[in-house]
Amino acid sequence: ALTEDWEQQFSTNVLADIREQLVVEPLFRNIAMMTNKMHLPINPEAGYGEWIGSASYNETAASTGTAAEHDITDTTLTAYKLAAKEYLGYEEEEDSIIPLLPIIRDAVVRRMAKSSDQAILRGTGAGATNPIKGIAQLATDAAGAAITTLSIGGADKATAAVLQTVRRGLGVRGINPADVIYVVSQEVYYDLLEDADFRTVDLVGITNATILTGQVGSVNGSRVIVSGEFDSVTIGNAAAVAVNTTNFIKGELRGLMMERDKNIEFQRNVLVASRRMGFIPIIGAVGASVLNYVA
């Protein structure tokens, strides 16, 4: 039988399930956008100067070599809208002994974070429903030069040596290990744990790295981060990405905005989150290298 203190028989603690790390978006530098399209000037590698022989000294134009034309270009950063919506019925809220709004708000914010992480990691840039092209797709677009493969049928394992091959695809942008970050799938992470050459955070001396930044280890001085936003282990899908983060920019036209309103006709509360953001490479077809599954 219920007593006068029946409320005390119910727990009001909300238990969260196991959640994947959301770590991709914070890897890249962010700029504030003044308009929905921003044109960013780019000055590519300038090439070389010219050695002048003594016979050409004081010979007008020959004394200063051959002139080079300016090659300054621009790239366009476009802000796209991302939104998430939840309904909370009057009766649903009235019948609950715990406040549901904070729980639902947390769910909406997490949906937004998962979407942006997924887009920056493996967005295809295909139309309005998938407008951002992610680093895995950008690497695949680089004429195949930045693709390393991992055989599913051959039961190949991802190792530190394999990741080093992926980094090689970055060319000169992979020289400085501090500029390179490996983002790996959960399957690749477990492969790495079986590799004696993989240095986990306890060996590289980084305290609380997994909790604070998502870092789980290091390969030749470059951070390794696990993301749950990779697609399934299927031919053609990405397993890991090596990225030089200095070659990419994330733009924010409007930060995350949460709004709540009542729909009287349906007798429910509406909770909406939205933001406007963009993501582009500074120089196209470079800066990202991908490990793809093959047969």
Side-chain angles (χ1 to χ4, degrees), residues 69-287:
E69 297 294 329
H70 289 299
D71 195 22
I72 295 178
T73 61
D74 70 70
T75 186
T76 302
L77 176 62
T78 303
Y80 301 100
K81 183 177 180 180
L82 176 65
K85 177 170 60 180
E86 292 273 358
Y87 294 127
L88 177 60
Y90 289 0
E91 292 78 13
E92 184 181 3
E93 191 168 20
E94 291 164 355
D95 294 346
S96 176
I97 66 171
I98 60 174
L100 292 178
L101 188 61
I103 302 172
I104 295 175
R105 183 185 295 114
D106 174 72
V108 172
V109 170
R110 185 159 182 83
R111 285 171 57 192
M112 296 287 285
K114 284 173 66 67
S115 297
S116 59
D117 255 29
Q118 184 185 92
I120 291 175
L121 179 62
R122 57 179 180 90
T124 61
T129 58
N130 198 344
I132 290 179
K133 186 171 287 191
I135 51 179
Q137 184 65 47
L138 289 166
T140 304
D141 288 349
I147 301 176
T148 306
T149 57
L150 192 67
S151 172
I152 300 175
D156 285 354
K157 297 288 187 181
T159 63
V162 170
L163 290 188
Q164 184 59 37
T165 302
V166 179
R167 177 179 162 191
R168 183 188 290 268
L170 296 175
V172 68
R173 288 172 175 79
I175 297 298
N176 185 357
D179 290 338
V180 177
I181 294 178
Y182 297 104
V183 185
V184 305
S185 66
Q186 296 166 358
E187 290 79 8
V188 169
Y189 171 55
Y190 286 116
D191 283 351
L192 291 172
L193 289 180
E194 298 172 3
D195 180 17
D197 291 331
F198 178 60
R199 300 291 183 263
T200 52
V201 289
D202 57 322
L203 297 178
V204 296
I206 304 175
T207 305
N208 294 330
T210 301
I211 297 174
L212 299 178
T213 67
Q215 182 177 355
V216 294
S218 177
V219 171
N220 294 334
S222 297
R223 296 162 55 193
V224 177
I225 290 174
V226 178
S227 171
E229 298 307 319
F230 282 90
D231 211 342
S232 58
V233 181
T234 305
I235 296 171
N237 286 346
V241 179
V243 56
N244 184 319
T245 58
T246 65
N247 189 56
F248 298 88
I249 287 181
K250 179 173 68 73
E252 195 88 46
L253 179 61
R254 185 180 75 225
L256 183 65
M257 179 172 65
M258 298 287 298
E259 297 176 290
R260 180 188 179 187
D261 199 5
K262 286 189 175 183
N263 186 321
I264 299 176
E265 180 181 5
F266 291 92
Q267 289 199 315
R268 64 189 180 191
N269 293 289
V270 182
L271 191 66
V272 175
S274 64
R275 66 184 297 199
R276 297 185 71 185
M277 60 169 287
F279 179 79
I280 57 169
I282 298 173
I283 305 294
V286 298

